[in-house]
Amino acid sequence: MEATMNAMSDTPEPDLPGWIFRQAVEQSALAISITDDRAHILYANPAFHRVTGYGTEEVLHSNESILSYKVTPRLVYDTMWARLQRQQAWNGRLVNRRKDGSRYLAELTITPVLNDQGETTHYLGMHRDVTEVHRLERQVQNQKTIIESVVDAAPVAIVLLDGDDRVILDNHEYKKLLGDMGTEPAARLLRVIRERMGASFERARQEARDIPGQEIRWETPAGESRWLNCSGTWFEEQDASADAFYEPQPRRFLLLVIQEITTYKQQEEAIRTYALRALLGERERVASVREALSGALFQLEGPVNQLAAALTMMERKPVTEETAPLLSTLDSALRSSREAIETLRACIPNETLEPEQPVDLNALLADVLRIVTPELLAAGIIVEWQPSVDLPKTQGRPHELASLFRQLLANAIQAIVESRGRRREIRLVSQLRDDCVEVLVEDSGPGIPEEWQLKVFQPFFTTKGAEQQHLGMGLTLAQDVVARHGGVMEVDPDYRDGARIRVQLPLPARGVP
Ligand code: FAD
């Protein structure tokens, strides 16, 4: 055996006695058999007996096909023999039958044994029972199939990313999202999440802390707004490579679960718009009562002051029998007028001051636009809304600011409607200036003549006819709101295509989120 096995090799004869080779084969845990060139068994070791149930003597001169269960496809044997014919070793799995009829899966290696002339004289067969290994492999495979089917059938998009943000696994919904978005959704969403979380993203990764649901908005190529809620879970897997066998090297993966929440957001938006509309309606009602009473007071104070002046003049003169009753009447008229004025002043409803808070002007302007949409549609006005993408939050009172912009838009709509011009456009712009955020409300109406550009902010100034019963307090109140926020509002004197109102609100001190 020693000489045969070394026939094709250039390695020197090992300095070992022949019995060691025999004992090594005898004591091997692998089932080893040696056959002639027609696969008739000439030798089988004790492990062969343990695996197959056939005693060594029993199988002598039998063909190896004694182990064949006949379910192994013909092609497998043909491939095997073709390789052996080319004097190449063959390795594969066969379904074998033991002596007692039970089956097992054999992992078999057959090596041709050549003589000095290079002819195949024998075959060396080595096999082991891998039924259990196969069962476990198949179980893992089945579980993988089940998990993939469940993940695929999930109504949310699921994607698994490796440490380099490469997609390892995704489901049907994720593929649909990919089709809608055009670019890899995970990369896009992760970019937003990383920006939002800053340094805490890396900390969450290292500590394997979950990423809480993030609501992310994206615009489809068709210009629609869609909302996604994206949450993440980190988990570790041990590196399966040989290098990591004794030194486990954990690999971190991120499982992103992405849920479409557009309908929910639209409903939420509709509820918010409805509530804001009601609130602004109430504020406007209060403002108009204040406006009417202030107007009435303004109108009343003039004659009363004249009365007071007349009385003072009369009081300076000596009192006669004739003037005494007149003085008394005037005095009581003045007193009752003043009381009436005070009663009227007391009737002016108080403005409710909201607490200041960080305000997302873009969101607020979008809400206001939604509120005036019916008026815009009725007037056939096209709105060009240009929000700045990097607008920081301002500090302010959101409802006051909403009523300010609502007023400016209402003015713009009215100017366009009254001008009956062919261009019916409003442009609303938000932008970041050096030390403030700026909102421009432009309309294609007749514009505000230069001599009125300051007057329009004065109380009771109106460009509308008296028949419209308008007290001209809208821009005054709007101006008050801007002033209370530490900002400025002006009519752009250089704008020629209509009117452009510029509102600048200061940026908050650092530290406001
Ligand atoms: P066939 O494949 O049709 O072959 C009929 C006979 O001719 C068999 O005796 C076969 O051995 C022989 N034969 C076929 N083609 C050639 C060829 N090109 N050159 C020489 N002889 C050929 N099979 C198993 O199912 N389980 C085993 O564990 C197993 N162990 C083997 C171990 C060794 C070392 C060798 C050499 C073969 C082994 N075989 C084994 C293959 C086995 O010999 C049969 O080829 C196989 O079982 C198919 O059986 P069959 O009755 O369909 O015979």
Side-chain angles (χ1 to χ4, degrees):
M1 177 175 149
E2 194 180 320
T4 318
M5 291 195 68
N6 286 294
M8 294 295 287
S9 153
D10 292 337
T11 51
E13 291 286 321
D15 193 13
L16 284 174
W19 64 267
I20 289 192
F21 289 95
R22 172 131 200 138
Q23 285 308 313
V25 173
E26 281 280 303
Q27 290 168 31
S28 169
L30 280 175
I32 296 177
S33 58
I34 297 172
T35 71
D36 63 13
D37 62 345
R38 305 289 302 167
H40 294 113
I41 300 171
L42 305 176
Y43 167 80
N45 72 350
F48 186 96
H49 166 62
R50 285 198 296 276
V51 174
T52 66
Y54 288 108
T56 311
E57 298 300 320
E58 223 176 329
V59 287
L60 268 191
H61 307 298
S62 298
N63 193 282
E64 291 276 8
S65 65
I66 192 174
L67 299 174
S68 171
Y69 180 53
K70 307 291 179 206
V71 291
T72 305
R74 188 76 245 156
L75 184 68
V76 177
Y77 294 124
D78 290 346
T79 315
M80 176 184 98
W81 280 112
R83 242 184 115 76
L84 295 178
Q85 293 277 282
R86 294 197 299 272
Q87 298 189 326
Q88 289 168 344
W90 176 87
N91 180 270
R93 286 182 174 184
L94 301 174
V95 181
N96 273 359
R97 186 173 48 188
R98 293 191 189 86
K99 185 181 173 188
D100 62 7
S102 63
R103 273 84 58 199
Y104 67 97
L105 190 72
E107 188 168 80
L108 171 68
T109 302
I110 304 175
T111 314
V113 181
L114 314 184
N115 64 14
D116 288 344
Q117 286 76 49
E119 295 156 351
T120 305
T121 55
H122 299 82
Y123 290 108
L124 170 69
M126 293 184 287
H127 80 266
R128 65 190 180 110
D129 180 352
V130 291
T131 312
E132 186 58 15
V133 175
H134 170 72
R135 195 184 62 79
L136 292 174
E137 280 173 0
R138 192 37 63 88
Q139 206 171 21
V140 169
Q141 187 61 45
N142 289 347
Q143 274 172 4
K144 191 166 170 265
T145 310
I146 290 170
I147 290 169
E148 279 174 1
S149 315
V150 171
V151 166
D152 227 17
V156 290
I158 296 174
V159 61
L160 182 67
L161 306 169
D162 70 4
D164 298 318
D165 295 350
R166 275 189 307 246
V167 174
I168 302 295
L169 182 100
D170 59 4
N171 73 344
H172 184 65
E173 282 296 312
Y174 182 83
K175 288 188 182 83
K176 249 170 59 184
L177 203 58
L178 176 67
D180 292 349
M181 275 182 141
T183 52
E184 193 66 69
R188 215 156 130 179
L189 297 172
L190 264 185
R191 201 167 41 241
V192 178
I193 294 173
R194 277 202 178 98
E195 270 169 29
R196 280 192 195 167
M197 291 181 70
S200 63
F201 181 87
E202 192 47 35
R203 276 201 300 278
R205 199 185 78 82
Q206 277 163 11
E207 293 164 17
R209 259 188 295 116
D210 286 357
I211 298 173
Q214 304 275 328
E215 292 186 354
I216 298 169
R217 181 196 192 121
W218 62 280
E219 303 294 323
T220 64
E224 273 174 73
S225 273
R226 280 174 72 175
W227 283 90
L228 302 171
N229 184 305
C230 183
S231 56
T233 307
W234 302 97
F235 66 89
E236 265 180 13
E237 188 200 69
Q238 294 304 328
D239 186 350
S241 71
D243 293 355
F245 188 76
Y246 286 114
E247 287 176 18
Q249 288 161 11
R251 293 195 304 166
R252 193 144 290 179
F253 291 89
L254 176 61
L255 184 76
L256 284 183
V257 177
I258 307 155
Q259 192 174 7
E260 171 110 35
I261 52 164
T262 306
T263 314
Y264 157 75
K265 286 302 276 189
Q266 281 167 345
Q267 284 166 354
E268 193 190 66
E269 232 164 41
I271 291 169
R272 209 181 52 231
T273 308
Y274 182 78
L276 187 63
R277 184 179 287 133
L279 210 130
L280 290 187
E282 176 58 16
R283 285 184 73 90
E284 274 163 24
R285 196 189 61 78
V286 170
S288 71
V289 171
R290 283 174 61 84
E291 190 182 343
L293 289 179
S294 303
L297 276 173
F298 183 75
Q299 305 284 332
L300 269 179
E301 272 167 351
V304 170
N305 287 342
Q306 282 172 356
L307 191 63
L311 191 63
T312 314
M313 276 163 62
M314 284 185 74
E315 278 169 349
R316 281 198 201 120
K317 292 180 182 163
V319 180
T320 64
E321 262 182 37
E322 272 176 33
T323 58
L326 184 62
L327 264 175
S328 150
T329 313
L330 278 178
D331 189 51
S332 93
L334 184 64
R335 230 172 304 123
S336 16
S337 305
R338 282 189 170 142
E339 274 167 21
I341 285 179
E342 284 320 305
T343 313
L344 212 55
R345 207 187 301 283
C347 289
I348 298 180
N350 285 332
E351 264 187 308
T352 41
L353 265 190
E354 338 156 43
E356 279 206 358
Q357 53 188 277
V359 180
D360 177 350
L361 265 189
N362 279 344
L364 183 134
L365 289 169
D367 282 346
V368 175
L369 270 179
R370 264 193 298 279
I371 288 174
V372 297
T373 298
E375 294 156 58
L376 291 165
L377 288 175
I381 295 171
I382 296 166
V383 174
E384 194 184 327
W385 165 218
Q386 292 182 345
S388 159
V389 280
D390 53 0
L391 202 68
K393 285 187 177 175
T394 48
Q395 188 72 1
R397 287 180 282 274
H399 297 143
E400 263 188 31
L401 289 172
S403 55
L404 153 72
F405 292 113
R406 162 112 178 74
Q407 177 67 50
L408 296 184
L409 283 168
N411 287 356
I413 294 170
Q414 196 162 7
I416 293 172
V417 169
E418 281 170 11
S419 75
R420 299 176 206 274
R422 285 179 61 200
R423 261 187 68 226
R424 296 170 91 81
E425 288 165 21
I426 289 179
R427 202 166 81 99
L428 185 63
V429 181
S430 71
Q431 53 199 15
L432 182 62
R433 288 265 166 249
D434 297 338
D435 55 351
C436 66
V437 286
E438 183 175 84
V439 177
L440 302 176
V441 183
E442 295 169 6
D443 67 67
S444 61
I448 301 172
E450 212 174 320
E451 63 272 23
W452 289 352
Q453 288 184 355
L454 287 175
K455 283 189 186 160
V456 285
F457 297 113
Q458 290 172 6
F460 310 118
F461 177 85
T462 176
T463 60
K464 295 156 188 119
E467 73 283 355
Q468 295 207 29
Q469 307 264 309
H470 198 283
L471 285 171
M473 289 297 284
L475 278 179
T476 312
L477 296 175
Q479 174 87 301
D480 276 357
V481 171
V482 176
R484 277 204 295 272
H485 281 81
V488 286
M489 176 162 70
E490 60 162 13
V491 178
D492 185 344
D494 302 324
Y495 193 71
R496 295 278 169 262
D497 294 337
R500 175 193 277 158
I501 309 287
R502 174 181 287 121
V503 176
Q504 293 185 329
L505 297 168
L507 281 173
R510 274 175 188 280
V512 174

